[in-house]
Amino acid sequence: MKQKSILIAIGLLSTVLCLWGCEKEAAASDTQVSTERYPETQAAEPADTVPPQNGDIVLKTMEAPLADGRVLTLSVMGKQAEYFYGVREITVSEGTELRQSILIEEAILADGIDGIDAGYSECPSAETSAELKDVNFDGFFDLEVTGWLPNNTSPCYYWCWDPVAQQFEYAFTLWEAEPNPETQQLICWYKVENGLYYTDHYHVNENNEPKLVSRDVEDVRPQ
């Protein structure tokens, strides 16, 4: 009888140990599954902290109002290289919609030269990188971008606004032009050589082509 009781006790103890071992294994198994199902995640980098392509930054922004009340925002994209700045692209947006991307390379290939880098212009500051001017006197703002820096007045690239196509179209390159609304002409002053200066007067025709009207010469070279 006593031996039977001992055997029963041993059996109960074995059952308890077995159940405890199973629960411990199940708990370990549950922990492992949980780790695999919910792995540690990393927060995505906010979009506004992603570096711009090519290392470009926004050098300046400009607004061009249209006749129907809409306003276009032009963002001048470029970079600084040592003492100078350069523009690579100008984006044209209406609200949050991108309307046009203007690459300076278009003007460089047509009439200009590379500035601070291939495909970039060259200018002394971010503020002087680009301007909005009505160079064909049609009532719409056109785009002027400083091209490069010779040892005199800077040549500029010009894109004229096309009200039919609703975008800027590359037109010509001139020495930095100042529109004269009274004469409907562009005035370009530049140095030819030391002591010799030209002031050119241009008329921009219906095809956005500048035609030389007259030239004033200032010659103060030693005789």
Side-chain angles (χ1 to χ4, degrees), residues 164-186:
V164 177
Q166 291 285 288
Q167 65 179 14
F168 292 93
E169 301 285 352
Y170 177 70
F172 52 83
T173 297
L174 275 181
W175 301 101
E176 185 176 358
E178 188 62 37
N180 186 336
E182 294 183 3
T183 62
Q184 301 280 286
Q185 294 177 356
L186 298 178

Side-chain angles (χ1 to χ4, degrees), residues 89-156:
E89 177 187 16
I90 296 179
T91 60
V92 183
S93 303
E94 183 180 351
T96 58
E97 179 185 358
L98 178 64
R99 296 288 303 275
Q100 185 181 2
S101 175
I102 300 171
L103 294 178
I104 304 305
E105 185 178 26
E106 177 186 16
I108 293 174
L109 293 176
D111 300 308
I113 61 175
D114 286 320
I116 64 170
D117 204 348
Y120 285 79
S121 65
E122 183 180 43
C123 53
S125 67
E127 184 58 35
T128 59
S129 59
E131 295 288 344
L132 291 174
K133 300 178 178 179
D134 184 4
V135 297
N136 56 2
F137 305 99
D138 64 351
F140 297 101
F141 278 118
D142 306 307
L143 174 62
E144 173 190 83
V145 176
T146 301
W148 66 96
L149 300 175
N151 292 323
N152 45 42
T153 308
S154 300
C156 294

Side-chain angles (χ1 to χ4, degrees), residues 32-66:
Q32 185 177 1
V33 171
S34 176
T35 301
E36 294 178 351
R37 186 176 297 174
Y38 304 106
E40 183 180 358
T41 58
Q42 296 181 354
E45 185 177 16
D48 58 359
T49 65
V50 176
Q53 292 183 355
N54 303 311
D56 289 348
I57 61 173
V58 179
L59 299 179
K60 68 182 297 186
T61 57
M62 305 178 292
E63 290 189 347
L66 300 179

